[in-house]
Amino acid sequence: MSEPYEYEEQQAYEDFVNQILKEHGDELFDEHYQEAVQQFTDERLKSYYLKNPAMARPAIEMFDEAVALKQGHPKAAFLFFMIAAEITVNQLLVRPIVNGLVHNEAVADMVVKLTPYTGSENFKDLLFDILSKLVGIDMTKHRRDGSKLSLWNEWRGLQKERNFLVHGGADPSAEGLKLAEGVALELLRVLYPRVLEKLGLKVNGYLLIEG
């Protein structure tokens, strides 16, 4: 478990990044937004996925562990479902796009780590526009079957419940646990394979990528 001072240092760093983006982010994104979307090609995305055929394994393992814990250990199960969802978003969807934008592994790593914390609507829109342009998936509108909210809004809401658990020990609600499982499942087993399919790639039952 993180020590209080570690959490305070992380929070201070996140506040600093947010302030920089607030002061300068809009002008930077306005200047390079359209160029980045237009120049990004699906070949960059395909190349990254083909170089990392087993990249979904950590998310699958987290999801399977959550299912095993669900009955007797709901707190742990909730956290593992959230980890599976976050790995899917950050590593399976965002990271390949960022890698194609910056062409530098170290910088890509840094940007992906910052993505959950920046709160930058411009940055989110850039990533989502590229995803929509290349594979026809709109993350702001995509919904699970029977859900009234977009998948993205469901996931963002779950992050708040996760923070209550991590920082305050609050039990996840039964509805929250069920939703976390559904969101993680949709991201990992529906949305991610659909992105690969749109790129002409195939996956087997364990989501191993095949050319």
Side-chain angles (χ1 to χ4, degrees):
M1 180 179 295
S2 298
E3 296 294 333
Y5 72 87
E6 292 177 339
Y7 172 72
E8 291 173 1
E9 286 182 355
Q10 176 179 310
Q11 189 62 51
Y13 179 62
E14 293 169 11
D15 290 343
F16 170 75
V17 172
N18 280 327
Q19 185 62 34
I20 294 298
L21 286 171
K22 183 178 180 181
E23 294 176 358
H24 305 288
D26 286 341
E27 59 191 77
L28 292 174
F29 276 100
D30 288 344
E31 181 180 352
H32 300 291
Y33 185 94
Q34 291 299 328
E35 180 182 359
V37 173
Q38 291 171 2
Q39 292 186 0
F40 196 97
T41 68
D42 59 354
E43 289 304 317
R44 295 182 190 173
L45 213 51
K46 288 177 66 174
S47 175
Y48 185 87
Y49 284 127
L50 287 172
K51 290 178 182 178
N52 300 275
M55 60 191 297
R57 182 171 295 156
I60 295 172
E61 291 174 350
M62 291 295 104
F63 186 89
D64 290 346
E65 188 75 14
V67 172
L69 292 166
K70 189 167 58 172
Q71 294 302 320
H73 305 279
K75 287 183 179 179
F78 179 85
L79 289 177
F80 275 61
F81 281 133
M82 289 300 296
I83 292 171
E86 289 176 3
I87 290 174
T88 304
V89 171
N90 291 339
Q91 298 299 324
L92 306 188
L93 299 176
V94 172
R95 173 58 191 273
I97 291 175
V98 171
N99 191 77
L101 284 171
V102 300
H103 305 291
N104 184 297
E105 288 290 326
V107 176
D109 280 337
M110 182 184 69
V111 173
V112 170
K113 289 176 182 177
L114 288 177
T115 301
Y117 306 121
T118 59
S120 169
E121 288 298 310
N122 282 328
F123 188 70
K124 182 201 74 175
D125 290 344
L126 173 61
L127 295 173
F128 286 0
D129 273 6
I130 291 174
L131 194 62
S132 177
K133 171 180 177 286
L134 294 181
V135 297
I137 293 175
D138 188 339
M139 283 284 287
T140 63
K141 296 180 180 179
H142 180 84
R143 297 181 183 181
R144 296 182 301 121
D145 289 342
S147 176
K148 296 180 180 180
L149 297 175
S150 72
L151 185 65
W152 180 255
N153 285 334
E154 286 183 323
W155 184 62
R156 296 294 287 176
L158 284 168
Q159 287 181 317
K160 296 179 181 179
E161 190 162 354
R162 179 207 56 195
N163 289 339
F164 291 146
L165 169 57
V166 172
H167 301 302
D171 290 326
S173 64
E175 294 80 8
L177 179 59
K178 182 178 180 181
L179 181 60
E181 180 177 7
V183 167
L185 185 66
E186 186 78 9
L187 285 165
L188 183 58
R189 289 292 184 177
V190 177
L191 203 59
Y192 173 59
R194 189 174 299 175
V195 169
L196 297 175
E197 181 182 354
K198 291 283 188 177
L199 293 171
L201 301 173
K202 299 178 180 179
V203 291
N204 61 24
Y206 204 68
L207 297 183
L208 186 68
I209 301 172
E210 302 170 352

